[in-house]
């Protein structure tokens, strides 16, 4: 390495160290800010010597910041006041569509002529079958437990919600007696996920699942087989009816949920070549164990 090259490298190293020290110390940063204006004029004229000449031949250095990053972070009051000013203008703006009269009657997205419990049950089963969901009506809890065991097969681990959130008495006892363990929520080797549901939607065969403590979202997404335990009393006409039920209950369940998922059949996509692929983004199979 030649002597000029060593001098050039040493100059760059010394300059970078000085720059780092100047940014580390607020006092030195302010001193550099006061010294910057005269130096900026030289930069604007593009007469910087040495290795800086190539830079200033084509572009200028940005202006020296009036405050350090640390000082800017401490002056949060200006940002807050700007935010308050924007919100004040928005709140003072005229409310749009004030001349629109209130709705006298809300139209359902999917009309339902008969909303009796028997009709809702039959419609839910029919619509669920259309989207590939297999429904297993059970006469009682023992029959439901046997159906669950059939779906689990020879597996010794399942990804399941806590029993308090699955409307089936005896589930924990069955797991213990059959040596079935609850897996971790990130276990990608588990085949079956078992959950409850907040509601079944009759007109679309959909399932509404709130998630949160004891109700891991992964249980309905990761395993290729998703089993939902549902009571007939949880079947409502449609999503609007579920919303109405939530409002009547004070929205406590909705607000306590980490998120709410509406599931209609197994995961499917056909965005590549218009070819339908099942299980690309979730379970391939969805089963509903339906209890009275």
């Amino acid at each position: 390495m030649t002597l000029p090259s060593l001098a050039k490298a040493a100059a760059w190293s010394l300059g970078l160290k000085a720059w780092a020290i100047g940014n580390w110390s607020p006092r030195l940063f302010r001193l550099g800010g006061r010294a910057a204006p005269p130096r900026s004029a030289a930069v604007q004229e593009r007469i910087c010597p040495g290795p800086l000449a190539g830079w200033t031949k084509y572009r200028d250095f940005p202006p020296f910041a009036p405050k350090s990053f640390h000082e800017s972070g401490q002056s949060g009051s200006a940002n807050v006041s700007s935010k308050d000013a924007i919100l004040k203008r928005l709140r003072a703006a005229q409310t749009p569509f004030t001349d629109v009269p209130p709705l006298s009657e809300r139209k359902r997205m999917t009309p339902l002529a008969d909303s009796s419990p028997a009709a809702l049950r039959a419609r839910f089963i029919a619509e669920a079958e259309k989207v590939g969901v297999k429904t297993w009506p059970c006469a009682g809890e023992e029959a439901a437990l046997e159906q669950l065991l059939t779906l689990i097969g020879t597996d010794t681990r399942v990804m399941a919600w806590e029993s308090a959130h699955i409307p089936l008495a005896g589930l924990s006892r069955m797991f213990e007696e059959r040596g079935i363990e609850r897996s971790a929520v990130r276990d990608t080797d588990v085949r079956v996920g078992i959950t409850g549901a907040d509601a079944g939607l009759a007109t679309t065969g959909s399932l509404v699942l709130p998630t949160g403590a004891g109700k891991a979202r992964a249980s309905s997404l990761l395993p290729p087989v998703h089993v939902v335990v549902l009571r007939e009393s949880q079947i409502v006409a449609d999503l609007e009816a579920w919303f109405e039920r939530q409002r009547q209950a004070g929205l406590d369940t909705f607000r306590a949920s980490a998120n709410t998922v509406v599931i209609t059949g197994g995961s499917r996509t056909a965005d590549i070549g218009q070819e339908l692929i099942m299980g690309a983004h979730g379970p391939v199979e969805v089963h509903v164990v339906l209890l009275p």
Side-chain angles (χ1 to χ4, degrees), residues 16-26 28-29:
L16 289 173
K17 288 179 180 178
W19 177 83
I21 294 172
N23 280 275
W24 173 77
S25 169
L28 290 176
F29 188 92

Side-chain angles (χ1 to χ4, degrees), residues 149-171:
L149 285 175
T150 300
L151 295 172
I152 294 172
T154 58
D155 296 0
T156 56
R157 288 182 299 128
V158 296
M159 189 180 298
W161 284 5
E162 291 182 3
S163 297
H165 303 294
I166 300 176
L168 179 58
L171 182 61

Side-chain angles (χ1 to χ4, degrees), residues 229-250:
V229 179
L230 186 71
R231 293 277 178 177
E232 292 179 2
S233 59
Q234 294 177 288
I235 300 176
V236 297
D238 47 28
L239 193 60
E240 296 97 319
W242 180 76
F243 284 143
E244 291 170 4
R245 180 178 286 190
Q246 295 301 304
R247 281 193 291 266
Q248 291 171 4

Side-chain angles (χ1 to χ4, degrees), residues 183-206:
S183 73
V185 294
R186 296 184 183 276
D187 191 340
T188 57
D189 295 327
V190 173
R191 186 181 66 90
V192 178
I194 302 174
T195 71
D198 195 66
L201 309 182
T203 54
T204 56
S206 305

